[in-house]
Amino acid sequence: MGGTPPLSPLAPAAFPDLPEIGGVEFATAEAGVKYKNRTDVMLAKLAPGTAVAGVFTRSATRSAPVLDCQDKIGGDVAGGAAIIVNSGNSNAFTGKNGRESVSRITAATAQALGIEEARVFSSSTGVIGEPLPHDRITAKLDELAGKLDRGGIAAAARAIMTTDTYPKGASAEVEIDGQTVKIAGIAKGSGMIAPDMATMLVYIFTDAAIERSVLQSMVSANSDLTFNCITVDSDTSTSDTLLCAATGASGVRVTEANTGFIDALRDVMLDLAHQVVRDGEGATKFVQIHVGGAKSDADARTHAMSIANSPLVKTAIAGEDPNWGRIVMAVGKSGAAADRDLLSIWFGDNLVADKGWRAESYSEEACAAHMKGENIDIRVDLGLGGGTATVWTCDLTHGYISINADYRS
Amino acid sequence: MGGTPPLSPLAPAAFPDLPEIGGVEFATAEAGVKYKNRTDVMLAKLAPGTAVAGVFTRSATRSAPVLDCQDKIGGDVAGGAAIIVNSGNSNAFTGKNGRESVSRITAATAQALGIEEARVFSSSTGVIGEPLPHDRITAKLDELAGKLDRGGIAAAARAIMTTDTYPKGASAEVEIDGQTVKIAGIAKGSGMIAPDMATMLVYIFTDAAIERSVLQSMVSANSDLTFNCITVDSDTSTSDTLLCAATGASGVRVTEANTGFIDALRDVMLDLAHQVVRDGEGATKFVQIHVGGAKSDADARTHAMSIANSPLVKTAIAGEDPNWGRIVMAVGKSGAAADRDLLSIWFGDNLVADKGWRAESYSEEACAAHMKGENIDIRVDLGLGGGTATVWTCDLTHGYISINADYRS
């Protein structure tokens, strides 16, 4: 983790131009938690009345800041609020000391901004099991409070990176009754990516005015279709956190009925989720897996994730090998309902397996050509019912081994 | 799969000297199913009255020979029997043609040996989804029947290899009432190894006289403690098959009460299971994971397998990195009960995590020294109850990627 890893070949051309969100200001600092000569702390100050919703990892060994966020997330929204995040140390598996570190950081943030500690949400990401030197963070809070800036979201996206090779951002604007509301989000994540009811570190801001419980419902439902549908390596982080803050600065009230807003929020979340996959450790291919014809949506998801997490499928994709037998294997082992003799598989537009048998029209050349592309589409039809799911992953390459085995962390 | 892969660094010094088993004869041939210039078919002829028990993959896309074996396994044991196995093609996902191939092979074997087709068990291992050229196998049956040999088990072990880098064999002798019964077994397997209620291809022979249903109980129970406790890459084969044949040639009757025999059979199965892990694709470390203090044995197994299948744990081991935070992560994501603040972890004899916190006595140097060895021991105590499980795996290295991605299959 010492040197800067090479930029992912799947990286976007540039960080997007994100809109400023009324009621949100950002600041970053170099606290030296672990990394040197780069920012590693970001502070987001949220205007009074901002509703904050969150989804979190379901790991049984989740980190101290995740537990603290979960305690605070349903609270009163009256006063100002803040999000404080450090990279370089996850403050996970740090016992009582971990809780103490969270308390010190959130108390110092509350004091520096003149807000309630119960309204300060914190995240930490990085190595597991090391004591967090929280004093390096608290020492920077006056500096952070003094340079808050509405245009600071791009710098914030950089400060939360760990093994990421690029910062991740996405935005949307929605017209509601002739007025515009804005959404902007940032994320980090590259390895230990198999979110379960939550995600990596993701922060999304909107100037819409949304009741907290409504915002929570929107975020939870959209997570199931976005961050919960990606996997890099099947390993679920102890720190996965998504916080979504609605400041209301636009003056535009948004409810469950505003499907345009919900769709725009989901687009931002899906964009960020795809950016996490595209920065998957060692990734050279972006892979979409769509399973249809399952007995239920849950069964479809089980099959899709079994394919997406199979080392043999992922290495075949890395080798540009249209090895559809490994798709059959992954469906067979998933535990969800499947009938070998009804199973069909496509690579791109090429039908390779047709109801339990190699397709008459199978062309090794056409499939191999599809596998050479950067975007791989795998489609499976189980022929059993109407259940569907789409998930996204990347390939498994020497790069993943190098990042995780060749260097001592 | 074209060239011969380099011998696993974890390979045993030599193939063991296996005893001849009364009532069992072997023959091998070069049928050219896929490989050239090597044997790829093995025939085992079993004396009349031989009881045959089996456990098989639970994959929903299991192969035609597995389905045929499952149909036959409970049948009458009166006449002679046989096991016929080919490597190079798994006859999996081959639809109606697959069933036809099995039928042709088992019928030809029955005819060549003068036995009932219902007593011929077949296996196929190799590529998935390709039609099996069964005529190449049936053309060799007279040759095979003509050179059956009681001492042919080592040659049989070689004929069933695919990506294996060495043949696998194990044996035991048990004294029962002053008489000796013998057990000898062979196995193949290297990748796509995460058996579920079954194993790779494993054939075990004994001259004990055992009732079929009793033999089945012994084999099933022992499988749960041996082959079902190994994983190379979390990917479950479509072809996993274990057949155990008891010829009775020793004249010694064995029942459920003969725990000495059951233990010896389990030792042979565990030895073969460990040999499969030691030949894991790209393996450089043999890893034992013991989980204790779980709420139940099932929970312990879920945690142990979550650790054993975690790419981040396996790459850390490859990098000789005592990265115990990744063990915490794998326990946290497993879904089984865990309490972070009761969790303790050892690498070898070194306590690294003590009830939710880095151990006071933690020594990076001592742990790093353990990780440099060939045999890695990871022990986890959950502090919740009396459930235990032990599983075995190998590390995840560049070798695995090379075998599965660098070459088109």
Side-chain angles (χ1 to χ4, degrees):
Chain A
M1 301 237 263
T4 306
L7 183 67
S8 167
L10 307 176
F15 189 79
D17 202 13
L18 300 183
E20 294 181 10
I21 305 294
V24 188
E25 295 170 283
F26 299 92
T28 60
E30 297 186 15
V33 170
K34 177 174 176 184
Y35 309 123
K36 306 291 171 208
N37 304 315
R38 53 157 281 191
T39 57
D40 59 354
V41 180
M42 85 98 174
L43 173 66
K45 184 185 174 192
L46 306 168
T50 296
V52 180
V55 284
F56 304 92
T57 184
R58 290 200 307 184
S59 168
T61 56
R62 49 192 179 271
S63 69
V66 166
L67 292 167
D68 186 64
C69 278
Q70 289 182 306
D71 280 349
K72 292 174 173 172
I73 203 73
D76 181 49
V77 304
I83 300 170
I84 176 115
V85 184
N86 74 273
S87 55
N89 184 313
S90 69
N91 192 15
F93 209 72
T94 45
K96 200 172 53 169
N97 301 45
R99 290 191 289 279
E100 176 73 12
S101 291
V102 172
S103 172
R104 294 290 189 87
I105 291 166
T106 56
T109 304
Q111 185 168 27
L113 299 179
I115 60 176
E116 296 291 322
E117 190 183 338
R119 292 279 282 154
V120 179
F121 302 92
S122 78
S123 305
S124 296
T125 178
V127 67
I128 296 172
E130 296 283 332
L132 175 65
H134 55 257
D135 49 324
R136 297 183 197 170
I137 297 168
T138 54
K140 292 286 173 180
L141 274 163
D142 286 342
E143 175 190 329
L144 286 161
K147 60 180 184 185
L148 285 160
D149 171 15
R150 284 179 55 164
I153 193 168
R158 284 178 201 284
I160 63 175
M161 290 166 61
T162 57
T163 55
D164 305 64
T165 73
Y166 58 86
K168 300 164 185 70
S171 68
E173 298 197 351
V174 193
E175 296 290 320
I176 296 175
D177 300 334
Q179 292 179 283
T180 302
V181 297
K182 296 172 185 165
I183 306 170
I186 57 175
K188 66 82 49 178
S190 181
M192 211 178 272
I193 299 283
D196 185 13
M197 299 302 288
T199 140
M200 303 306 81
L201 297 191
V202 185
Y203 306 97
I204 299 173
F205 308 92
T206 175
D207 55 9
I210 314 178
E211 204 185 315
R212 205 206 65 79
S213 62
V214 173
L215 182 64
Q216 183 67 50
S217 299
M218 290 177 180
V219 168
S220 295
N222 280 341
S223 282
D224 283 342
L225 297 170
T226 57
F227 290 104
N228 286 348
C229 292
I230 65 170
T231 180
V232 166
D233 55 8
S234 79
D235 276 342
T236 302
S237 164
T238 51
S239 305
D240 294 340
T241 296
L242 181 154
L243 291 172
C244 183
T247 66
S250 66
V252 182
R253 171 112 343 236
V254 167
T255 68
E256 299 92 332
N258 293 111
T259 54
F261 179 85
I262 294 170
D263 290 349
L265 178 62
R266 188 168 59 245
D267 287 347
V268 168
M269 291 167 72
L270 191 60
D271 189 339
L272 291 171
H274 285 186
Q275 288 188 53
V276 169
V277 171
R278 287 181 177 278
D279 205 10
E281 288 172 344
T284 68
K285 308 275 186 186
F286 180 78
V287 186
Q288 173 169 299
I289 298 164
H290 179 80
V291 173
K295 274 198 167 166
S296 66
D297 288 352
D299 265 20
R301 183 184 151 81
T302 299
H303 284 301
M305 277 295 181
S306 180
I307 297 166
N309 283 323
S310 160
L312 288 171
V313 170
K314 292 162 86 83
T315 49
I317 293 168
E320 303 185 335
D321 177 7
N323 193 326
W324 57 273
R326 295 183 180 177
I327 308 290
V328 172
M329 176 280 298
V331 168
K333 77 164 180 169
S334 82
D339 181 333
R340 188 194 58 178
D341 295 334
L342 296 174
L343 182 62
S344 299
I345 300 168
W346 291 257
F347 284 153
D349 294 329
N350 308 291
L351 178 66
V352 293
D354 188 11
K355 298 190 173 59
W357 179 244
R358 194 173 65 189
E360 296 282 351
S361 60
Y362 177 73
S363 157
E364 173 87 11
E365 293 68 35
C367 289
H370 179 73
M371 302 307 281
K372 285 197 188 307
E374 188 176 285
N375 293 296
I376 307 298
D377 281 305
I378 297 173
R379 195 150 52 90
V380 172
D381 191 292
L382 292 158
L384 295 174
T388 64
T390 305
V391 307
W392 296 272
T393 190
C394 56
D395 52 345
L396 174 58
T397 68
H398 284 290
Y400 185 86
I401 307 292
S402 294
I403 292 165
N404 289 299
D406 292 356
Y407 311 112
R408 296 283 304 278
S409 62
Chain B
M1 302 237 259
T4 305
L7 183 67
S8 166
L10 307 177
F15 189 79
D17 202 12
L18 300 182
E20 294 182 7
I21 304 294
V24 189
E25 297 170 281
F26 298 93
T28 60
E30 298 186 15
V33 170
K34 178 176 174 181
Y35 309 124
K36 306 290 171 207
N37 305 314
R38 54 158 279 192
T39 57
D40 59 355
V41 179
M42 85 98 176
L43 173 66
K45 184 185 173 192
L46 305 168
T50 296
V52 180
V55 285
F56 304 92
T57 184
R58 290 201 306 185
S59 168
T61 56
R62 49 191 178 272
S63 69
V66 166
L67 292 167
D68 186 63
C69 278
Q70 289 181 308
D71 280 349
K72 292 174 173 172
I73 202 72
D76 181 48
V77 305
I83 300 171
I84 176 110
V85 183
N86 73 274
S87 55
N89 183 314
S90 69
N91 192 15
F93 209 71
T94 45
K96 200 171 54 169
N97 301 47
R99 291 193 289 278
E100 176 74 12
S101 291
V102 172
S103 171
R104 294 289 188 88
I105 290 166
T106 57
T109 305
Q111 185 168 26
L113 298 180
I115 61 177
E116 294 291 320
E117 191 182 337
R119 292 279 281 154
V120 179
F121 302 91
S122 77
S123 305
S124 296
T125 179
V127 68
I128 295 172
E130 296 283 333
L132 175 65
H134 55 256
D135 49 324
R136 297 183 198 170
I137 297 168
T138 54
K140 292 286 172 180
L141 273 163
D142 285 340
E143 175 190 329
L144 287 161
K147 59 181 185 185
L148 286 160
D149 172 14
R150 285 178 55 163
I153 194 168
R158 284 177 201 284
I160 62 175
M161 290 166 61
T162 57
T163 55
D164 304 65
T165 74
Y166 59 86
K168 298 163 187 71
S171 68
E173 298 198 350
V174 193
E175 296 289 319
I176 295 175
D177 299 335
Q179 292 181 281
T180 302
V181 300
K182 297 171 186 166
I183 306 170
I186 57 175
K188 65 84 46 178
S190 180
M192 209 177 276
I193 298 283
D196 185 12
M197 300 302 290
T199 138
M200 305 304 81
L201 297 191
V202 184
Y203 306 97
I204 299 173
F205 308 93
T206 176
D207 56 8
I210 314 178
E211 204 184 313
R212 206 207 64 79
S213 62
V214 173
L215 183 64
Q216 182 67 50
S217 300
M218 290 176 179
V219 168
S220 295
N222 280 340
S223 282
D224 282 342
L225 297 170
T226 57
F227 290 104
N228 286 347
C229 292
I230 65 170
T231 179
V232 167
D233 55 9
S234 79
D235 275 342
T236 302
S237 163
T238 52
S239 305
D240 294 342
T241 295
L242 180 154
L243 292 172
C244 182
T247 66
S250 67
V252 181
R253 171 119 334 244
V254 167
T255 69
E256 299 93 331
N258 292 111
T259 55
F261 179 86
I262 294 171
D263 291 348
L265 179 62
R266 187 168 60 245
D267 287 347
V268 168
M269 291 167 73
L270 191 60
D271 189 339
L272 291 171
H274 285 185
Q275 288 188 53
V276 169
V277 171
R278 288 181 176 278
D279 206 10
E281 289 172 342
T284 69
K285 307 276 187 187
F286 179 78
V287 186
Q288 173 169 300
I289 298 163
H290 179 80
V291 173
K295 273 198 169 166
S296 66
D297 288 352
D299 265 20
R301 183 184 151 81
T302 299
H303 284 302
M305 276 295 182
S306 180
I307 297 166
N309 283 323
S310 159
L312 288 171
V313 170
K314 293 163 86 83
T315 49
I317 293 168
E320 302 186 337
D321 178 5
N323 192 327
W324 57 273
R326 295 182 180 178
I327 309 288
V328 173
M329 176 280 299
V331 168
K333 77 164 181 170
S334 81
D339 181 332
R340 188 194 56 177
D341 296 334
L342 297 175
L343 182 62
S344 298
I345 301 168
W346 291 256
F347 284 154
D349 294 329
N350 308 291
L351 179 66
V352 294
D354 188 11
K355 297 192 173 60
W357 180 242
R358 194 174 64 188
E360 296 281 350
S361 60
Y362 177 73
S363 157
E364 172 88 10
E365 293 67 35
C367 289
H370 179 73
M371 301 308 281
K372 286 198 187 307
E374 189 176 285
N375 294 296
I376 307 298
D377 281 306
I378 297 173
R379 196 149 53 88
V380 171
D381 191 293
L382 292 157
L384 295 174
T388 64
T390 305
V391 307
W392 296 272
T393 189
C394 56
D395 52 345
L396 173 58
T397 67
H398 284 289
Y400 185 85
I401 307 293
S402 294
I403 292 166
N404 289 299
D406 292 357
Y407 310 110
R408 295 284 303 280
S409 63

